[in-house]
Amino acid sequence: MKSDGGDAGLAQNVYECLSIYDSNSFARDQAGVGGRIAKLVQSCGGEVLASRLWSEQRLAYPIRGHRKGTYWLTYFRVESSKLTAFTRACRLEDDILRSLTLRVDPRLVEALVAHAEGKRLLPHPDEVSSRASDEAGESEDGAADGPWEEDVEEEKNR
């Protein structure tokens, strides 16, 4: 087994948990209710990487009589053997209507956590297009200065 830190021999994976909280409970105590998943992760010996409000919206169908829910997204690292205890603890929480926990592919961890924290790993598309136009040799008026322009003109004249 591969270990990402912690005790030798124990596999630690990164997980994404999307929880739906009771909107009424969340409105009364945002910090307390929003921090419940983080407390559950820590009680299982895990580490929270990112945790934030996703959205508050009407549910597609009632869950335990609730028609509105508050979605909370959390990324955390925990030993894979502790995941069952975490899932059970989520089910036992009164304010959590539903939760879904998925293992994140290690290649995507950095990008997903950065996105959840509101950071940008890649440049904005406008920045990329301006760099690409600079590299292609476009002039101020948008016309390309590259050698391929002559080939295009020859094709038009044929």
Side-chain angles (χ1 to χ4, degrees):
M1 281 190 205
K2 182 182 174 192
S3 177
D4 292 339
D7 297 336
L10 298 177
Q12 285 204 342
N13 293 312
V14 174
Y15 296 93
E16 172 185 82
C17 179
L18 184 63
S19 306
I20 304 174
Y21 288 115
D22 171 10
S23 289
N24 296 326
S25 296
F26 184 79
R28 284 191 298 267
D29 183 18
Q30 292 183 0
V33 174
R36 294 252 167 86
I37 293 290
K39 288 180 184 175
L40 294 176
V41 168
Q42 291 169 352
S43 71
C44 292
E47 167 195 8
V48 175
L49 304 175
S51 186
R52 72 176 187 94
L53 176 68
W54 182 267
S55 72
E56 186 172 355
Q57 62 190 37
R58 186 173 184 271
L59 300 172
Y61 55 89
I63 301 174
R64 289 194 235 155
H66 298 278
R67 297 195 174 275
K68 194 174 183 185
T70 302
Y71 291 73
W72 194 270
L73 180 66
T74 306
Y75 289 96
F76 62 94
R77 179 176 284 121
V78 71
E79 293 175 18
S80 56
S81 63
K82 305 280 184 162
L83 189 61
T84 305
F86 171 78
T87 304
R88 184 173 187 279
C90 286
R91 288 190 188 132
L92 293 175
E93 278 290 325
D94 290 334
D95 293 328
I96 299 175
L97 303 177
R98 288 275 161 83
S99 68
L100 176 66
T101 305
L102 303 171
R103 188 177 73 80
V104 177
D105 187 319
R107 296 171 292 186
L108 301 175
V109 170
E110 184 180 353
L112 290 174
V113 170
H115 180 70
E117 292 175 338
K119 296 177 183 173
R120 210 172 52 188
L121 288 179
L122 300 174
H124 192 271
D126 294 338
E127 295 172 15
V128 173
S129 64
S130 68
R131 286 183 194 163
S133 64
D134 290 344
E135 290 173 5
E138 288 188 12
S139 62
E140 295 286 327
D141 60 356
D145 296 332
W148 60 273
E149 184 181 71
E150 296 167 1
D151 297 334
V152 172
E153 287 298 321
E154 288 178 18
E155 287 294 323
K156 285 182 184 177
N157 293 334
R158 287 188 190 174

Coordinates of all heavy atoms in Angstrom, one line a residue, residues 1-59:
M1 N 0.8 -1.2 0.0 CA 0.0 0.0 0.0 C 0.9 1.2 0.0 O 1.9 1.3 0.6 CB -0.9 0.0 1.3 CG -2.1 -0.8 1.2 SD -3.1 -0.4 2.6 CE -4.0 -1.9 2.8
K2 N 0.4 2.3 -0.7 CA 1.1 3.5 -0.7 C 0.7 4.4 0.4 O -0.5 4.5 0.7 CB 0.8 4.2 -2.1 CG 1.5 5.5 -2.2 CD 1.2 6.2 -3.5 CE 1.8 7.5 -3.6 NZ 1.3 8.3 -4.6
S3 N 1.6 5.1 1.0 CA 1.3 6.0 2.1 C 1.6 7.4 1.7 O 2.7 7.7 1.2 CB 2.1 5.6 3.4 OG 1.8 6.5 4.4
D4 N 0.7 8.3 2.0 CA 1.0 9.8 1.7 C 1.4 10.5 2.9 O 1.3 11.7 3.0 CB -0.3 10.4 1.1 CG -0.7 9.9 -0.3 OD1 0.2 9.3 -0.9 OD2 -1.8 10.0 -0.6
G5 N 1.9 9.8 3.9 CA 2.3 10.5 5.1 C 1.7 9.7 6.3 O 0.9 8.8 6.1
G6 N 1.9 10.2 7.5 CA 1.4 9.6 8.6 C 2.1 8.3 9.0 O 3.3 8.1 8.7
D7 N 1.4 7.3 9.5 CA 2.0 6.1 10.0 C 2.4 5.2 8.7 O 1.7 5.2 7.7 CB 1.0 5.2 10.8 CG 0.6 6.0 12.1 OD1 1.5 6.8 12.5 OD2 -0.4 5.7 12.6
A8 N 3.5 4.6 8.9 CA 4.0 3.7 7.8 C 3.1 2.5 7.6 O 2.7 1.9 8.5 CB 5.5 3.3 8.1
G9 N 2.8 2.3 6.3 CA 2.0 1.1 6.0 C 0.5 1.4 5.9 O -0.2 0.5 5.5
L10 N 0.0 2.5 6.4 CA -1.4 2.8 6.3 C -1.7 3.7 5.2 O -1.0 4.8 5.0 CB -1.9 3.4 7.6 CG -1.7 2.6 8.9 CD1 -2.1 3.4 10.1 CD2 -2.5 1.3 8.8
A11 N -2.6 3.3 4.3 CA -3.0 4.1 3.1 C -3.8 5.3 3.5 O -4.9 5.2 4.2 CB -3.7 3.2 2.1
Q12 N -3.4 6.5 3.1 CA -4.2 7.7 3.3 C -4.6 8.2 1.9 O -3.7 8.4 1.1 CB -3.4 8.8 4.1 CG -3.2 8.5 5.5 CD -3.0 9.8 6.3 OE1 -2.7 10.8 5.8 NE2 -3.2 9.7 7.6
N13 N -5.9 8.4 1.8 CA -6.4 8.9 0.5 C -7.1 10.2 0.8 O -7.4 10.6 1.9 CB -7.5 7.9 0.0 CG -6.8 6.6 -0.5 OD1 -5.8 6.6 -1.2 ND2 -7.4 5.5 0.0
V14 N -7.3 10.9 -0.3 CA -8.0 12.2 -0.2 C -9.4 11.9 -0.7 O -9.6 11.2 -1.7 CB -7.4 13.3 -1.1 CG1 -8.2 14.5 -1.1 CG2 -6.0 13.6 -0.5
Y15 N -10.4 12.4 0.0 CA -11.8 12.2 -0.3 C -12.5 13.6 -0.4 O -12.1 14.6 0.2 CB -12.5 11.4 0.9 CG -11.9 10.0 1.0 CD1 -10.9 9.8 1.9 CD2 -12.4 9.0 0.3 CE1 -10.3 8.5 2.1 CE2 -11.9 7.7 0.4 CZ -10.8 7.5 1.3 OH -10.3 6.2 1.4
E16 N -13.6 13.5 -1.2 CA -14.5 14.7 -1.4 C -15.8 14.3 -0.8 O -16.3 13.2 -1.1 CB -14.6 14.9 -2.9 CG -15.7 16.0 -3.2 CD -15.9 16.1 -4.7 OE1 -16.6 15.3 -5.3 OE2 -15.3 17.0 -5.3
C17 N -16.3 15.1 0.1 CA -17.6 14.8 0.7 C -18.5 16.0 0.4 O -18.2 17.2 0.8 CB -17.4 14.7 2.2 SG -19.0 14.3 3.1
L18 N -19.6 15.7 -0.2 CA -20.7 16.7 -0.4 C -21.8 16.4 0.5 O -22.4 15.3 0.4 CB -21.1 16.7 -1.9 CG -22.1 17.8 -2.2 CD1 -21.5 19.2 -2.0 CD2 -22.6 17.7 -3.6
S19 N -22.1 17.3 1.4 CA -23.2 17.0 2.4 C -24.3 18.0 2.2 O -24.1 19.1 1.7 CB -22.6 17.3 3.8 OG -21.5 16.5 4.0
I20 N -25.5 17.6 2.5 CA -26.7 18.4 2.5 C -27.1 18.6 3.9 O -27.5 17.6 4.6 CB -27.8 17.8 1.6 CG1 -27.3 17.5 0.2 CG2 -29.0 18.8 1.6 CD1 -28.4 16.8 -0.6
Y21 N -27.0 19.9 4.4 CA -27.5 20.2 5.7 C -28.9 20.7 5.7 O -29.4 21.2 4.7 CB -26.6 21.3 6.3 CG -25.2 20.9 6.7 CD1 -24.1 21.5 6.0 CD2 -24.9 20.1 7.7 CE1 -22.8 21.1 6.3 CE2 -23.7 19.7 8.0 CZ -22.6 20.3 7.4 OH -21.3 19.9 7.7
D22 N -29.5 20.5 6.9 CA -30.8 21.2 7.1 C -30.6 22.7 7.0 O -29.9 23.2 7.8 CB -31.4 20.7 8.4 CG -32.6 21.4 8.9 OD1 -33.2 22.2 8.1 OD2 -33.0 21.3 10.1
S23 N -31.3 23.3 6.1 CA -31.1 24.8 5.9 C -31.5 25.6 7.1 O -30.9 26.6 7.4 CB -31.9 25.3 4.7 OG -31.3 24.8 3.5
N24 N -32.5 25.2 7.9 CA -32.9 25.9 9.1 C -31.8 25.8 10.1 O -31.5 26.9 10.8 CB -34.3 25.3 9.6 CG -35.4 25.5 8.7 OD1 -35.5 26.5 7.9 ND2 -36.3 24.5 8.6
S25 N -31.3 24.7 10.4 CA -30.2 24.5 11.4 C -29.0 25.3 10.9 O -28.3 26.0 11.7 CB -29.8 23.1 11.5 OG -30.8 22.3 12.1
F26 N -28.7 25.3 9.6 CA -27.5 26.0 9.1 C -27.7 27.5 9.3 O -26.8 28.3 9.7 CB -27.3 25.7 7.6 CG -26.1 26.4 7.1 CD1 -24.8 25.8 7.3 CD2 -26.2 27.5 6.3 CE1 -23.7 26.4 6.8 CE2 -25.0 28.1 5.8 CZ -23.8 27.6 6.1
A27 N -28.9 28.0 9.0 CA -29.2 29.5 9.2 C -29.0 29.9 10.6 O -28.6 31.0 10.9 CB -30.6 29.8 8.7
R28 N -29.4 29.1 11.6 CA -29.3 29.4 13.0 C -27.9 29.4 13.5 O -27.5 30.3 14.3 CB -30.1 28.4 13.9 CG -31.6 28.7 13.8 CD -32.3 27.8 14.9 NE -32.2 26.4 14.7 CZ -33.0 25.6 14.0 NH1 -34.1 26.2 13.5 NH2 -32.8 24.3 13.9
D29 N -27.0 28.5 13.0 CA -25.7 28.4 13.5 C -24.7 28.0 12.3 O -24.4 26.8 12.2 CB -25.6 27.4 14.6 CG -24.2 27.2 15.2 OD1 -23.4 28.1 15.0 OD2 -24.0 26.2 15.9
Q30 N -24.4 29.0 11.5 CA -23.6 28.7 10.3 C -22.2 28.1 10.6 O -21.8 27.1 10.0 CB -23.5 29.9 9.4 CG -24.7 30.3 8.8 CD -24.6 31.5 7.9 OE1 -23.5 32.1 7.7 NE2 -25.7 32.0 7.3
A31 N -21.6 28.7 11.6 CA -20.2 28.2 11.9 C -20.2 26.8 12.5 O -19.4 26.0 12.2 CB -19.5 29.2 12.9
G32 N -21.2 26.6 13.4 CA -21.3 25.3 14.1 C -21.7 24.2 13.2 O -21.1 23.1 13.1
V33 N -22.7 24.4 12.4 CA -23.2 23.4 11.4 C -22.2 23.2 10.3 O -21.9 22.0 9.9 CB -24.6 23.7 10.9 CG1 -25.0 22.8 9.8 CG2 -25.6 23.8 12.0
G34 N -21.6 24.3 9.8 CA -20.6 24.1 8.7 C -19.4 23.4 9.1 O -18.7 22.8 8.3
G35 N -19.0 23.5 10.4 CA -17.8 22.8 10.9 C -18.0 21.4 11.4 O -17.1 20.7 11.8
R36 N -19.3 20.9 11.2 CA -19.5 19.5 11.7 C -18.7 18.5 10.9 O -18.2 17.5 11.5 CB -21.0 19.2 11.5 CG -21.9 20.0 12.4 CD -22.5 19.1 13.5 NE -23.1 19.9 14.5 CZ -24.3 20.4 14.5 NH1 -25.1 20.1 13.5 NH2 -24.8 21.1 15.5
I37 N -18.6 18.6 9.6 CA -17.8 17.6 8.8 C -16.4 17.7 9.2 O -15.7 16.6 9.4 CB -18.0 17.9 7.3 CG1 -19.4 17.6 6.9 CG2 -17.0 17.0 6.5 CD1 -19.8 16.1 6.9
A38 N -15.8 18.9 9.4 CA -14.4 19.0 9.9 C -14.2 18.3 11.2 O -13.2 17.6 11.4 CB -14.1 20.5 10.0
K39 N -15.2 18.4 12.1 CA -15.0 17.7 13.4 C -15.1 16.2 13.3 O -14.3 15.5 13.9 CB -16.1 18.2 14.4 CG -15.9 19.6 14.9 CD -17.1 20.0 15.8 CE -16.9 21.5 16.2 NZ -18.0 22.0 17.0
L40 N -16.0 15.8 12.4 CA -16.1 14.3 12.1 C -14.8 13.8 11.5 O -14.3 12.7 11.9 CB -17.2 14.0 11.2 CG -18.6 14.3 11.8 CD1 -19.7 14.0 10.7 CD2 -18.9 13.5 13.0
V41 N -14.2 14.5 10.6 CA -12.9 14.1 9.9 C -11.8 14.1 11.0 O -11.1 13.1 11.1 CB -12.5 15.1 8.8 CG1 -11.1 14.9 8.4 CG2 -13.5 15.0 7.6
Q42 N -11.7 15.1 11.8 CA -10.7 15.1 12.9 C -10.9 14.0 13.9 O -9.9 13.4 14.4 CB -10.7 16.5 13.5 CG -10.2 17.6 12.6 CD -10.4 19.0 13.1 OE1 -11.1 19.2 14.1 NE2 -9.8 20.0 12.4
S43 N -12.2 13.7 14.2 CA -12.4 12.6 15.2 C -12.0 11.2 14.6 O -11.7 10.3 15.3 CB -13.9 12.5 15.6 OG -14.7 12.1 14.5
C44 N -11.9 11.1 13.3 CA -11.4 9.9 12.6 C -9.9 9.9 12.3 O -9.4 9.1 11.7 CB -12.2 9.7 11.3 SG -13.9 9.3 11.5
G45 N -9.2 11.0 12.8 CA -7.8 11.1 12.6 C -7.4 11.7 11.3 O -6.3 11.5 10.9
G46 N -8.3 12.3 10.6 CA -8.0 12.9 9.3 C -7.7 14.4 9.4 O -7.7 15.0 10.4
E47 N -7.4 14.9 8.2 CA -7.0 16.3 8.0 C -7.9 16.9 7.0 O -8.0 16.4 5.8 CB -5.5 16.3 7.6 CG -5.0 17.7 7.1 CD -3.7 17.6 6.3 OE1 -3.2 16.5 6.0 OE2 -3.2 18.6 6.0
V48 N -8.5 18.1 7.3 CA -9.3 18.8 6.3 C -8.4 19.6 5.4 O -7.6 20.4 5.9 CB -10.3 19.7 7.1 CG1 -11.1 20.5 6.1 CG2 -11.3 18.8 7.9
L49 N -8.6 19.5 4.1 CA -7.8 20.2 3.2 C -8.5 21.5 2.7 O -7.9 22.5 2.5 CB -7.4 19.4 1.9 CG -6.7 18.1 2.3 CD1 -6.6 17.2 1.0 CD2 -5.4 18.3 2.9
A50 N -9.8 21.4 2.5 CA -10.7 22.5 2.1 C -12.1 22.2 2.5 O -12.5 21.1 2.4 CB -10.6 22.8 0.6
S51 N -12.8 23.2 3.0 CA -14.2 23.1 3.4 C -14.9 24.4 3.1 O -14.5 25.4 3.6 CB -14.2 22.7 4.9 OG -15.5 22.4 5.3
R52 N -16.0 24.3 2.4 CA -16.7 25.6 2.1 C -18.2 25.3 1.8 O -18.6 24.2 1.4 CB -16.1 26.3 1.0 CG -16.3 25.7 -0.4 CD -15.6 26.5 -1.5 NE -15.9 26.1 -2.8 CZ -16.9 26.5 -3.5 NH1 -17.8 27.4 -3.1 NH2 -17.1 26.1 -4.8
L53 N -19.0 26.4 1.8 CA -20.4 26.3 1.4 C -20.4 26.2 -0.1 O -19.7 26.9 -0.8 CB -21.0 27.7 1.8 CG -22.5 27.8 1.4 CD1 -23.4 26.9 2.1 CD2 -22.9 29.3 1.7
W54 N -21.2 25.3 -0.6 CA -21.4 25.1 -2.0 C -22.5 25.9 -2.5 O -22.4 26.8 -3.4 CB -21.6 23.6 -2.3 CG -21.7 23.3 -3.8 CD1 -22.9 23.2 -4.5 CD2 -20.7 23.0 -4.7 NE1 -22.6 22.9 -5.8 CE2 -21.2 22.8 -5.9 CE3 -19.3 23.0 -4.6 CZ2 -20.5 22.5 -7.1 CZ3 -18.5 22.7 -5.7 CH2 -19.1 22.4 -6.9
S55 N -23.7 25.6 -2.0 CA -24.9 26.4 -2.4 C -26.1 26.1 -1.4 O -26.0 25.1 -0.7 CB -25.3 26.2 -3.8 OG -25.9 24.9 -3.9
E56 N -27.1 26.9 -1.5 CA -28.3 26.6 -0.8 C -29.4 26.7 -1.8 O -29.6 27.7 -2.6 CB -28.6 27.7 0.3 CG -29.8 27.4 1.1 CD -29.9 28.3 2.3 OE1 -29.0 29.1 2.6 OE2 -30.9 28.2 3.0
Q57 N -30.2 25.6 -1.9 CA -31.2 25.5 -3.0 C -32.3 24.6 -2.6 O -32.2 23.8 -1.7 CB -30.6 25.1 -4.3 CG -29.9 23.8 -4.3 CD -29.1 23.5 -5.6 OE1 -28.5 24.4 -6.1 NE2 -29.2 22.3 -6.1
R58 N -33.3 24.6 -3.4 CA -34.5 23.7 -3.2 C -34.1 22.3 -3.7 O -33.4 22.1 -4.6 CB -35.6 24.2 -4.1 CG -36.9 23.5 -4.0 CD -38.0 24.2 -4.8 NE -39.3 23.6 -4.6 CZ -39.7 22.5 -5.3 NH1 -39.0 22.1 -6.3 NH2 -40.9 22.0 -5.0
L59 N -34.5 21.4 -2.9 CA -34.2 20.0 -3.2 C -35.1 19.4 -4.3 O -36.2 19.9 -4.4 CB -34.3 19.1 -1.9 CG -33.4 19.5 -0.8 CD1 -33.8 18.7 0.5 CD2 -32.0 19.3 -1.1

